[in-house]
Amino acid sequence: MLKPFEFATAQQIIFGAGTSARLPALVQPLGTRAYVILGSRHPTLAALAGTLEAAGLVATQATTTGEPSVAQILEHVARAKGARADVIVAIGGGSTLDTGKAVAAFLTNHGDPVDYLEVVGRGLPLGVPAAPVVAVPTTAGTGAEVT
């Protein structure tokens, strides 16, 4: 017999033409210093990230490619801490959103990320909630914005 369980997912999903214009208003209540991870240096994505600065937020931009490695996550965490980021904004496909979520987790938690991985690591729980994340998916189908 299946035991009862709970499933928690994203707090809010906004969908539709033109909704990206709401990005600054969504980020502002979460922090003042955004670390923005872009899936590419496409001018449209960089311009979207630039709307945060136009709204008075400090935004440090970085790019990522492919599935995130532990080394890449640690590099982004170091850059985000150096920028004194208090909110993560990930704009791109599933790998970019996954990178953003991992950076948010290790912006507030310490130790070796492998210790927190299930199966290949020790499966430790995070001791502190992750920094806030705003995910802006630019592809469909990965579900990374809701996990």
Side-chain angles (χ1 to χ4, degrees), residues 18-36:
T19 56
S20 61
R22 295 177 55 191
L23 182 62
L26 295 169
V27 174
Q28 285 175 320
L30 303 174
T32 59
R33 303 182 71 85
Y35 185 73
V36 183

Side-chain angles (χ1 to χ4, degrees), residues 27 68 79 113-114 135 144 147:
V27 174
R79 289 190 66 200
V114 174
T147 59

Side-chain angles (χ1 to χ4, degrees), residues 32-132:
T32 59
R33 303 182 71 85
Y35 185 73
V36 183
I37 304 170
L38 301 171
S40 71
R41 279 281 182 204
H42 190 281
T44 303
L45 298 183
L48 181 56
T51 65
L52 298 173
E53 288 185 344
L57 294 155
V58 175
T60 302
Q61 291 186 30
T63 58
T64 191
T65 58
E67 290 299 321
S69 68
V70 171
Q72 288 171 326
I73 297 304
L74 292 175
E75 181 181 323
H76 282 292
V77 169
R79 289 190 66 200
K81 285 183 177 181
R84 298 189 336 248
D86 53 8
V87 60
I88 304 298
V89 178
I91 305 172
S95 297
T96 303
L97 303 187
D98 288 341
T99 299
K101 294 181 293 186
V103 170
F106 289 99
L107 195 58
T108 58
N109 288 275
H110 305 287
D112 185 349
V114 174
D115 287 340
Y116 297 90
L117 297 176
E118 296 175 352
V119 181
V120 298
R122 294 174 40 200
L124 296 177
L126 294 173
V128 177

